[in-house]
Amino acid sequence: MKLRAGIAAFAVLGLGGALASAHAEDAAPAVAAPQPQAVDASLPRFQPAVQPAQLVPVAPVAEEMSEAEPEESWEPVGRGVASWYGPKFAGRRTASGETFDPTEYTAAHRTLPFGSTVRVTSDSGRSVVVRINDRGPFSPGRVIDVSQAAARDLGLIGPGHGNVSLAILDE
């Protein structure tokens, strides 16, 4: 008999708690406080996309140029998709015969002469100057493959490719 009375009391208390809980939900919804998340140590730390020494002026300012220095002339040579290549090819010979170094500002193009200086500008406005030292890209729809260093500054590392415009230095 005591067991039945205890169960009945427990059921009444439980039902009362549920009713109190239902009334509290009508008054104000419960909002869970955000929990702090641990930082994944394997993720790379923030690094600026463009180093000050690597900035390339799109149009030189007239006051900064001396009369002895001729104005650089960039001739547009196309638009398309750029991709990048890096550590996997480090140390291998390029089509020009030099050793590939992913930390240098170099690129592969199908037809531009080796040694050509090319300004690559992403749709986001980021710009780098690279030197053509290899042939490629060999993926359909791509116009240039840039080194890992150039890709980092152009913002191509994460997506792997992006729309760019090319201009060759007219010397």
Side-chain angles (χ1 to χ4, degrees):
M1 188 62 134
K2 288 183 180 182
L3 181 62
R4 283 187 186 177
I7 293 174
F10 182 74
V12 169
L13 287 175
L15 181 60
L19 289 175
S21 165
H23 290 297
E25 288 175 5
D26 290 340
V31 177
Q35 298 296 318
Q37 296 180 352
V39 176
D40 186 354
S42 67
L43 294 175
R45 297 207 177 263
F46 170 78
Q47 294 181 359
V50 178
Q51 300 298 325
Q54 299 165 348
L55 292 175
V56 178
V58 175
V61 178
E63 293 80 32
E64 294 178 6
M65 293 176 41
S66 70
E67 291 181 24
E69 294 180 25
E71 183 176 335
E72 291 182 339
S73 175
W74 294 93
E75 180 184 338
V77 290
R79 268 193 71 67
V81 177
S83 53
W84 66 277
Y85 60 120
K88 178 179 173 184
F89 297 97
R92 294 189 188 179
R93 293 275 175 216
T94 64
S96 67
E98 59 184 86
T99 303
F100 175 67
D101 181 353
T103 64
E104 292 181 0
Y105 287 77
T106 58
H109 192 275
R110 289 186 193 98
T111 59
L112 291 175
F114 292 134
S116 297
T117 303
V118 178
R119 184 178 64 210
V120 182
T121 305
S122 69
D123 281 354
S124 66
R126 295 177 176 182
S127 181
V128 295
V129 174
V130 296
R131 182 178 45 84
I132 303 298
N133 73 339
D134 205 358
R135 290 291 172 229
F138 300 109
S139 298
R142 308 276 166 90
V143 295
I144 194 166
D145 275 339
V146 296
S147 65
Q148 183 178 15
R152 181 188 62 243
D153 289 353
L154 290 168
L156 301 179
I157 296 290
H161 57 75
N163 293 321
V164 296
S165 60
L166 307 177
I168 190 167
L169 180 60
D170 188 22
E171 298 183 71

